[in-house]
Amino acid sequence: MREKLNELLKDRGMRPAQLAQATGLGTSTVDDILKGKTNELNIGVDKMLKIASVLDVSVESLYGRKDPRIPYTPPDPKEQQLVECFRSLNDKGKEKALGYLDDLVDTGKY
């Protein structure tokens, strides 16, 4: 984790003292994390959440795991129309519509 944290600080042009100030953590606490003196499993959720928030990343990404956040993209008008039409159907109609969609996808033509 310390490598990832050092990388994030470098990418943001931020010094450890600035991170400490922005998170409300002690400078020595941040330095210990960056130097690996503090076991990453003993940092504490509250501190990790503060660090992640200031750096605008997930806690998972600080530990080098894939960031689970997926940016929201609003549906385009055609998707919205499809959803509205689908919702207006009864259960039998929904099954039939899904069958039609499966057929369209399976052909590979559309």
Side-chain angles (χ1 to χ4, degrees):
M1 187 209 53
R2 68 185 176 133
E3 293 86 12
K4 180 66 175 179
L5 188 53
N6 275 304
E7 178 186 315
L8 288 166
L9 288 176
K10 183 179 178 184
D11 289 348
R12 286 159 175 73
M14 187 179 249
R15 295 188 315 275
Q18 292 172 309
L19 178 63
Q21 183 179 14
T23 57
L25 301 174
T27 305
S28 61
T29 300
V30 172
D31 286 339
D32 287 348
I33 294 169
L34 291 170
K35 292 176 183 172
K37 291 182 180 179
T38 300
N39 183 321
E40 62 188 35
L41 299 176
N42 294 330
I43 294 171
V45 174
D46 59 328
K47 292 176 185 171
M48 291 303 295
L49 288 169
K50 288 177 182 178
I51 292 169
S53 177
V54 167
L55 296 174
D56 193 31
V57 295
S58 68
V59 172
E60 290 88 352
S61 69
L62 287 174
Y63 284 102
R65 296 185 182 107
K66 186 175 177 174
D67 194 339
R69 295 186 291 182
I70 299 171
Y72 172 76
T73 54
D76 68 38
K78 296 232 183 255
E79 286 176 299
Q80 189 62 40
Q81 181 183 4
L82 181 65
V83 170
E84 289 170 8
C85 288
F86 185 81
R87 288 180 179 166
S88 70
L89 298 171
N90 63 22
D91 287 342
K92 191 172 183 177
K94 288 178 182 179
E95 288 298 320
K96 198 164 191 124
L98 288 173
Y100 292 146
L101 287 171
D102 285 339
D103 288 345
L104 286 172
V105 172
D106 287 344
T107 66
K109 190 175 176 183
Y110 303 99

